[in-house]
Amino acid sequence: MPGPSARDEAAARRTTSTTQGIDEATLPADGIVGPVEVGSVAHGGHCVARLDGRVIFVRHALPGEVVRVRLTDTSHASFWRGDAVEVLQASPGRTTPRCPVAGPGMCGGCDWQHATPQTQRELKASVIREQLAHLAGIDVDVEVEELPGGTFGWRTRMGYVTRDGRATMRRHRSKELVEVPADGCPLAIEAQPNPHALAAPLGPDEHLLRVATSAEGRTSVLVDGVLSSGEPELVEHAAGRDWRVDADGFWQGHPAAADTLVEAVLDGLAPEAGERAFDLYCGVGLFAGALVDAGVQVWGVEIDKRAVELAQANVPQGRFTAGKVDRVVRRMPRATDLVVLDPPRTGAGKDVIDAVASRNPRAIAYVACDPAALGRDLGRLRKQGYELESLRSFDLFPNTHHIECVAICVPAVVI
Ligand SMILES: C[S@@+](CC[C@H](N)C(=O)[O-])C[C@H]1O[C@@H](n2cnc3c(N)ncnc32)[C@H](O)[C@@H]1O
């Protein structure tokens, strides 16, 4: 599975020209180069620029801008990385980041705070289009839909590293720590306590601090994976149900995400009472519950045993199995009507896609948090005789480069 560097190497090969006149020996002492004209957006929260034929992935820039770039990584033969530290010609899509640590060389959490919300969604749409064209050979119009509530104060699950009793986050692609602003990260939901107040009693050593706040405004805090305050479980509301969720377990981070995704999946699958469905990578049973409520018999699979116990409690009418999807799917029925796939960022992969297609479902809903993984898996589904019927994309992670897609695939019509 290609990691970010392999992906960037491939992106650089697609964009690079053959001359690479500039090399490390000729770089200025301060590592700042340019002016360079910024080209198109690439997956990962940066844009592509060229200097003497060499590809530079530039963060904190926007397509069409002219910037000077501080190089941050010159270790790769085919591309370098850098931050735009001076904007000589700004894009109309540029805005001033709200967070004081959202700029070059600082916190790695946000990639697009310097872009207006509309521009962010356009950039994300370009990335999805490019990934699907390149990896799946699919040309599709993409519009990234906005969620209610604005682009700040949405995140219900936060992770920090504490040090010297202060809450910090990692610098982009680095282990170095950057202290979050005194009033906390502006992406965190307002009901969440100030992270410095939570970090203060933890002393000088580094600890992992996870803060989870439910829709009801209840907060659980874990330090190094151990519950330190609040309840071990939170209750969330979505799709007309209450959901028991482990304080340290998976739940969509944006308060409107679960409802939005359920609506898109149901709309795309149009389930009918009496049909059978697999909910693969089911977490605590979100899509299984929505399908059961539509009269469908559901079998969910999830690797996290605690999530499976909660899924069974949340959706008693469903059947749930703990295990890796690629193994469990082999023992599942040889036919099904519907499949929901909601894998982690790495995607489902060849074995799972082949196993799903071999069950001949009449429709597959692929919920994807990484457009590159979606592209690879859609490419595989095409080989197995499934075509993309519709695609919706949602800005579930404003100010970051992350995007969520719901792709509906159906058997290709053979003429
Ligand atoms: C993106 S989450 C989706 C959860 C759920 N569908 C929801 O919306 O709440 C992906 C889930 O896949 C699970 N997972 C990761 N790798 C897995 C694997 N190989 N087999 C089964 N489940 C896996 C994770 O534990 C996580 O709960």
Side-chain angles (χ1 to χ4, degrees):
M1 191 66 61
S5 268
R7 185 178 73 205
D8 293 338
E9 296 268 5
R13 275 198 299 278
R14 288 202 298 285
T15 52
T16 195
S17 63
T18 46
T19 52
Q20 297 191 345
I22 188 163
D23 61 32
E24 280 179 283
T26 57
L27 284 179
D30 60 4
I32 296 180
V33 295
V36 295
E37 198 178 323
V38 180
S40 55
V41 62
H43 186 25
H46 44 232
C47 297
V48 182
R50 284 198 193 86
L51 185 67
D52 286 351
R54 172 163 328 250
V55 168
I56 310 179
F57 291 123
V58 185
R59 279 171 63 76
H60 308 285
L62 293 174
E65 292 190 327
V66 178
V67 300
R68 286 166 57 77
V69 175
R70 178 184 291 124
L71 295 171
T72 54
D73 178 2
T74 55
S75 64
H76 302 269
S78 61
F79 66 90
W80 287 347
R81 295 181 192 280
D83 287 342
V85 288
E86 196 183 338
V87 181
L88 304 171
Q89 206 175 297
S91 158
R94 180 170 277 274
T95 189
T96 306
R98 182 194 286 191
C99 178
V101 298
M106 293 191 277
C107 176
C110 285
D111 310 288
W112 296 123
Q113 263 198 51
H114 60 286
T116 64
Q118 170 72 21
T119 304
Q120 292 186 26
R121 292 193 296 276
E122 286 166 11
L123 294 171
K124 293 180 189 199
S126 293
V127 168
I128 298 168
R129 259 194 312 272
E130 196 270 335
Q131 293 292 310
L132 296 198
H134 170 61
L135 294 165
I138 294 174
D139 263 331
V140 63
D141 278 341
V142 181
E143 193 198 326
V144 174
E145 300 175 41
E146 187 181 358
L147 264 64
T151 54
F152 291 95
W154 55 266
R155 223 174 140 157
T156 62
R157 268 66 179 170
M158 296 294 299
Y160 304 93
V161 179
T162 71
R163 189 182 56 188
D164 297 329
R166 303 291 289 169
T168 73
M169 289 194 182
R170 303 238 183 250
R171 221 178 269 282
H172 182 64
R173 300 179 70 84
S174 164
K175 291 206 163 126
E176 280 178 50
L177 301 174
V178 179
E179 193 168 308
V180 304
D183 53 354
C185 169
L187 294 199
I189 197 157
E190 234 176 72
Q192 210 159 79
N194 182 302
H196 296 299
L198 299 173
L202 300 177
D205 293 346
E206 285 184 17
H207 297 280
L208 293 176
L209 179 69
R210 180 176 152 92
V211 192
T213 301
S214 70
E216 295 169 324
R218 289 181 192 274
T219 294
S220 297
V221 178
L222 292 104
V223 176
D224 300 327
V226 177
L227 187 72
S228 81
S229 69
E231 299 298 320
E233 275 178 27
L234 294 169
V235 177
E236 300 285 1
H237 305 285
R241 284 170 171 256
D242 280 347
W243 299 90
R244 286 172 56 194
V245 182
D246 196 90
D248 201 17
F250 181 86
W251 184 255
Q252 295 289 348
H254 191 296
D259 272 330
T260 302
L261 296 177
V262 164
E263 190 261 327
V265 165
L266 291 184
D267 196 42
L269 292 181
E272 287 178 15
E275 286 191 311
R276 302 149 301 169
F278 298 168
D279 179 7
L280 305 180
Y281 312 91
C282 68
V284 297
L286 178 66
F287 300 112
L291 288 166
V292 159
D293 290 344
V296 173
Q297 293 171 42
V298 186
W299 188 342
V301 184
E302 161 62 46
I303 200 167
D304 175 350
K305 283 195 182 123
R306 179 68 192 134
V308 169
E309 285 167 15
L310 290 170
Q312 199 65 74
N314 288 329
V315 189
Q317 309 93 319
R319 171 176 181 179
F320 296 93
T321 304
K324 283 188 167 181
V325 166
D326 51 333
R327 299 220 174 131
V328 177
V329 77
R330 291 186 216 146
R331 334 186 227 123
M332 293 175 80
R334 304 301 308 167
T336 189
D337 302 298
L338 304 168
V339 175
V340 180
L341 284 162
D342 186 9
R345 268 193 195 124
T346 45
K350 177 183 177 302
D351 292 350
V352 172
I353 293 295
D354 290 354
V356 163
S358 74
R359 266 67 180 180
N360 298 312
R362 72 161 177 82
I364 300 167
Y366 191 127
V367 182
C369 55
D370 183 273
L374 176 65
R376 287 192 297 273
D377 286 340
L378 287 186
R380 186 76 209 163
L381 273 170
R382 284 189 84 190
K383 287 198 179 110
Q384 296 295 339
Y386 279 79
E387 65 186 10
L388 181 67
E389 183 185 61
S390 65
L391 178 78
R392 290 181 71 187
S393 321
F394 302 99
D395 197 9
L396 298 195
F397 314 96
N399 291 310
T400 78
H401 75 271
H402 298 290
I403 329 166
E404 196 86 8
C405 296
V406 176
I408 305 295
C409 296
V410 294
V413 179
V414 184
I415 308 169

